[in-house]
Every structure is written in structure tokens, then in C-alpha cells.
């Protein structure tokens, strides 16, 4: 394929590529996960107590903005795969809400010019950028990343696609700069990225099916895969101290991801190494600032075949679901020194931190010195409003 120009908003080509992720992944030791083992599911079932079980129902919609976002994302949970009910209307019908039905989405034959893996990888990445993704990477679908059972009905997950396309959506620097980490915009920051990544992934999966290849979207409202190992293999980041979180060299931990699995032939990417293991070893800022001390200060551990920093999922889930002073929590994202705007100055610092191990000794110290991690009230634009008993009101308690 002739050299092509990438539309990536970030220069991902300058990041060092490696054959394996920078943290150990012992494929033979990994036990596949049941989706019902997740912290939020456990909270919803009462495993963390009655209070969190009740709060789970309202912890996102108690903020009117995150409520609106989760509502739209929920609709997209129904269109991840070929619709069961196909379009039977006259296709000449004028487009309107009343005439809309899901259209057939899988061609019987494969579309022409779709079997060159290198070109199709370029094509699919450009499509993702066209749809406003902030980063995209491709890997083989690790079989151990597929859930055993779905949390929606406990049914067995059957997914054997060959490839995974992962997209990242930035939660936005301005909100991340303005908020204090756990106030009334926190869940909206998560769900603006969840909803956008859901929208993009559903369109990409639909498009690939129209080309004649099976494809399924996996997003916050309907996953069949565990996302972090896919992000590692697709070269979108390294594991970080926050726990089961992948950190991207340009977005830091300030993103949400969605995945499209497919059999469309694609050239895969390689994992990346930008020195994060060394940086997180030295930094520990997220552990220091986590309001419930859910992040480890210690060395990495091996857990279920993965090398990772330990994190206390129950404490973290309890904070995010049970937060009475805001909606959710993203303090670790807020304070991370890699959560920065993409300005020439920060690009220069980013380059130093990626390439000069000695400089990483001063990363967190310098970040504190410049005052990063504090709320920037001049940028605060959202309303502090909380729904209680069906009435929107000034929150009883504010975390800012
Ligand atoms: S989301 Fe909040 S509670 Fe959870 S680890 Fe991050 S800072 Fe701690
Ligand atoms: S705050 Fe520091 S230790 Fe935590 S994830 Fe970010 S770089 Fe790593």
C-alpha cells in the first residue's frame, strides 16, 4: 500500500512500539470473567449493602445531565448487532421518525476491495476519525477478553470474531480542569464519552456488516468483552496505577473506550511503551488523592494472569455509586499528571516524560508545584442540581 496520511489528532506514530504489553500478560493463566463479577453489578445486587443497592438506581440519573446522557446511551445498547426485526417498509418512504425501522445490515456477498488487511486497517481508522474518535487501534481479539456470561440475563456469551477495533473518546480537558474530581459533572464526563463511543462503535459495526462481514459493537451499555487487554494489545496505552485502567500517552486516563469486534481482515497494531511503568512507580499521585484510598501505593501484583497495580474495587464502587456530594468520581483522572491539554508546552513536557527516566522522579512534584489537580472555578459551567424523590433541587451537600 502506498504511504497514506493519518487523520489522527495525535502523533501516535512517534510512540515506541513493542511486541508485547509492558505489563505481564500470562495468557495461559487467565480465567475468563463473568460480566456479573463487576463492581457496579455487585452494587446493584446488594453485595455491597442495601444503601448502595438503592443508590445504584439513581447515581447516574440523579444529575439531570448524566441522566440525559445515560438515557441516550441506553438506546444504543439495543443496536450493537444485526437487528432482529428487519426493514420491511418501502425504502422510498420519506425519512421520518414514524417510518423508521432498522434496515438490513449484512450483505450476502462481501463488498469489492475489502480484502486487503493493510488498506482496510487504514480505512477503518480513518472512518473512526471521521466519526470523531480521538484514538483508534486494532488487535486480534484475545479469546480471554470475552465474558463468559452476560450481566443482562446471565446468558452464555458466544463471540469468536478474529479482530477487535478499539476507539477512545476524550472526556474533555476543560471539564477535567474545572471539576474537583467528584462533583456534579463527574458522571456526565464519563457518559459524554460513553455515549459518543457507543454512537461511533454502533455505526462502525453497522457499516462493516453492510460490507458483508460480521461485526458487533461493545460499549458501556452492552459489552461482551473486557476492554483493558484489548486496549493494551491495540497499542492504545499501558496499564497504570489506578488499577484496571489503561492510560494513553496523549489523553492520560481521561477517556472512555468502545470496541468493535469483526472478521473483516485487518492489519493489527503493536502494543506501546512510553515509560509509564516507571512513571507510575514513582508518581503515586492518584493513590494520594483518591478520597477513599482505593488505589495501591505498593508495587504491582499478579492477578488472574495480569500484572497490575492492586485496587480496591469495593471501595471505588462505593465512592462512585454512594457519593452524596456529587455524581460519581473521577478524582484519579483529574489529578493524574498525564491529564493535560494538548498545548505546545505540554507536548514538550510529555516528550521529556516519555523519553527521560530521570525526569520522571520529578513528575508528580512538578505537577503539584504548578497547581495541577485543583479545580479551576473560572471554567465551571454546569449546574449543581440533584434529583431526589422526583424533584430537582439544590443538592443537600456539595463537594465544591
Ligand atoms: S474513581 Fe474515585 S474512588 Fe475510584 S479509584 Fe478513582 S479516585 Fe478513587
Ligand atoms: S496519577 Fe501518577 S501513579 Fe497515578 S496513574 Fe497517573 S501517572 Fe500513574
Amino acid at each position: 500500500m502506498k504511504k497514506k496520511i493519518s487523520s489522527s489528532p495525535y502523533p501516535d506514530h512517534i510512540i515506541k512500539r513493542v511486541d508485547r504489553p509492558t505489563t505481564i500478560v500470562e495468557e495461559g493463566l487467565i480465567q475468563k470473567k463473568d460480566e456479573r463479577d463487576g463492581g457496579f453489578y455487585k452494587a446493584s445486587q446488594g453485595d455491597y449493602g442495601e444503601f448502595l443497592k438503592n443508590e445504584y438506581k439513581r447515581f447516574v440519573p440523579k444529575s439531570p445531565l448524566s441522566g440525559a446522557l445515560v438515557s441516550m446511551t441506553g438506546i444504543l445498547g439495543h443496536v450493537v448487532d444485526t437487528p432482529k426485526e428487519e426493514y420491511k417498509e418501502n425504502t422510498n418512504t420519506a425519512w421520518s421518525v414514524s417510518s423508521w425501522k432498522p434496515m438490513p445490515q449484512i450483505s450476502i456477498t462481501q463488498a469489492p476491495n475489502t480484502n486487503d488487511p493493510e488498506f482496510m486497517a487504514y480505512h477503518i481508522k480513518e472512518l473512526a476519525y471521521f466519526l470523531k474518535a480521538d484514538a483508534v487501534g486494532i488487535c486480534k481479539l484475545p479469546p480471554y477478553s470475552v465474558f463468559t456470561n452476560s450481566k443482562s440475563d446471565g446468558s452464555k456469551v458466544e463471540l469468536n470474531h478474529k479482530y477487535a477495533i478499539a476507539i477512545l473518546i476524550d472526556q474533555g480537558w476543560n471539564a477535567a480542569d474545572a471539576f474537583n474530581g467528584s462533583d456534579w459533572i463527574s458522571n456526565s464526563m464519563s457518559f459524554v464519552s460513553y455515549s459518543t463511543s457507543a454512537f461511533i462503535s454502533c455505526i462502525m459495526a453497522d457499516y462493516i456488516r453492510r460490507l458483508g462481514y460480521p461485526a458487533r459493537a461493545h460499549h458501556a451499555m452492552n459489552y461482551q468483552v473486557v476492554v483493558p487487554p484489548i486496549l493494551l494489545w491495540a497499542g492504545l496505552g499501558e496499564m497504570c496505577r489506578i488499577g484496571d485502567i489503561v492510560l494513553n500517552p496523549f489523553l492520560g486516563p481521561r477517556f472512555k473506550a468502545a470496541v468493535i469486534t469483526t472478521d473483516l481482515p485487518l492489519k493489527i497494531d503493536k502494543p506501546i511503551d512510553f515509560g509509564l511503568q516507571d512513571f507510575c512507580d514513582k508518581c503515586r499521585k492518584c493513590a494520594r488523592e483518591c478520597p477513599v484510598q482505593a488505589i495501591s501505593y505498593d508495587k504491582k501484583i499478579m492477578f488472574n494472569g495480569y500484572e497490575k497495580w492492586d485496587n480496591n474495587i469495593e471501595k471505588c464502587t462505593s465512592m462512585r455509586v454512594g457519593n452524596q456530594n456529587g455524581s460519581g468520581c473521577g478524582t484519579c483522572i483529574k489529578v493524574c499528571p498525564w491529564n493535560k491539554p494538548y498545548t505546545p508546552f505540554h507536548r514538550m513536557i510529555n516528550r521529556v516524560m516519555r523519553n527521560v527516566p530521570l525526569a520522571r522522579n520529578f513528575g508528580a512534584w512538578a505537577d503539584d508545584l504548578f497547581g495541577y489537580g485543583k479545580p479551576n472555578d473560572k471554567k465551571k459551567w454546569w449546574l449543581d442540581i440533584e434529583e431526589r424523590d422526583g424533584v430537582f433541587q439544590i443538592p443537600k451537600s456539595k463537594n465544591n
Side-chain angles (χ1 to χ4, degrees), residues 8-26:
S8 171
Y10 302 103
D12 34 19
H13 61 280
I14 66 173
I15 303 294
K16 186 172 138 195
R17 297 275 164 178
V18 287
D19 289 334
R20 293 190 61 83
T22 52
T23 41
I24 299 164
V25 180
E26 291 267 20

Side-chain angles (χ1 to χ4, degrees), residues 240-242 247 279-280 283-286 336-338:
C240 74
R241 183 178 288 277
I242 297 171
L247 191 151
F279 194 101
C280 281
C283 171
R284 300 187 180 94
K285 196 169 171 180
C286 52
C336 177
W338 293 83

Side-chain angles (χ1 to χ4, degrees), residues 67-374:
L69 286 162
V70 72
S71 175
M72 181 56 73
T73 319
I75 294 168
L76 293 167
H78 298 286
V79 290
V80 293
D81 209 338
T82 311
K84 292 194 177 71
E85 186 193 4
E86 293 208 333
Y87 187 72
K88 300 187 185 75
E89 302 288 314
N90 178 351
T91 49
N92 292 324
T93 309
W95 287 101
S96 70
V97 171
S98 59
S99 68
W100 187 88
K101 293 262 177 65
M103 297 177 76
Q105 292 178 338
I106 186 144
S107 302
I108 296 160
T109 55
Q110 291 168 355
N113 300 327
T114 57
N115 55 7
D116 174 350
E118 190 175 355
F119 179 76
M120 290 313 287
Y122 171 72
H123 172 72
I124 288 295
K125 287 183 180 178
E126 287 301 303
L127 170 66
Y129 297 130
F130 175 73
L131 295 170
K132 308 278 187 241
D134 291 301
V136 53
I138 301 171
C139 66
K140 287 194 176 146
L141 175 64
Y144 50 84
S145 70
V146 178
F147 283 125
T148 56
N149 295 79
S150 158
K151 71 179 178 190
S152 59
D153 57 3
S155 59
K156 197 167 178 304
V157 173
E158 305 279 357
L159 181 75
N160 50 17
H161 291 155
K162 291 188 184 120
Y163 300 101
I165 304 154
I167 59 165
L168 309 185
I169 301 293
D170 191 349
Q171 296 184 34
W173 161 252
N174 281 333
D177 189 26
F179 88 142
N180 74 3
S182 58
D183 54 33
W184 292 92
I185 194 67
S186 183
N187 267 337
S188 298
M189 289 173 60
S190 297
F191 272 90
V192 76
S193 295
Y194 280 140
S195 57
T196 307
S197 59
F199 179 75
I200 295 174
S201 60
C202 287
I203 290 175
M204 289 178 70
D206 182 339
Y207 171 68
I208 294 169
R209 290 193 295 271
R210 286 166 199 264
L211 295 181
Y213 299 85
R216 187 198 196 275
H218 306 262
H219 61 75
M221 302 307 279
N222 195 334
Y223 287 118
Q224 285 187 336
V225 294
V226 183
V227 174
I230 292 173
L231 302 188
L232 289 184
W233 285 107
L236 288 169
E238 293 184 51
M239 293 306 290
C240 74
R241 183 178 288 277
I242 297 171
D244 299 315
I245 300 277
V246 169
L247 191 151
N248 176 271
F250 303 109
L251 300 170
R254 196 190 63 222
F255 66 83
K256 296 295 180 195
V259 170
I260 304 102
T261 56
T262 182
D263 287 340
L264 176 72
L266 294 166
K267 184 181 174 196
I268 59 170
D269 294 303
K270 285 171 116 184
I272 55 174
D273 179 356
F274 55 99
L276 187 70
Q277 301 313 298
D278 183 36
F279 194 101
C280 281
D281 248 339
K282 294 166 173 165
C283 171
R284 300 187 180 94
K285 196 169 171 180
C286 52
R288 188 189 79 198
E289 298 296 329
C290 171
V292 290
Q293 295 293 288
I295 300 172
S296 167
Y297 289 83
D298 294 333
K299 296 276 175 204
K300 285 174 276 192
I301 56 161
M302 286 301 296
F303 179 77
N304 190 32
Y306 295 103
E307 185 189 23
K308 53 166 274 194
W309 275 280
D310 202 8
N311 61 335
N312 188 320
I313 291 168
E314 182 172 348
K315 277 188 181 176
C316 175
T317 308
S318 302
M319 172 66 199
R320 292 168 77 183
V321 175
N323 182 6
Q324 297 298 291
N325 305 316
S327 170
C329 179
T331 305
C332 44
I333 294 170
K334 160 88 185 174
V335 302
C336 177
W338 293 83
N339 166 35
K340 288 290 178 291
Y342 196 57
T343 64
F345 173 72
H346 292 102
R347 269 179 251 177
M348 190 260 295
I349 300 293
N350 183 295
R351 191 183 197 96
V352 171
M353 292 303 157
R354 282 190 277 112
N355 296 302
V356 185
L358 192 62
R360 296 175 199 143
N361 292 323
F362 308 102
W365 173 80
D367 210 61
D368 286 342
L369 192 69
F370 279 87
Y372 287 113
K374 302 254 184 305

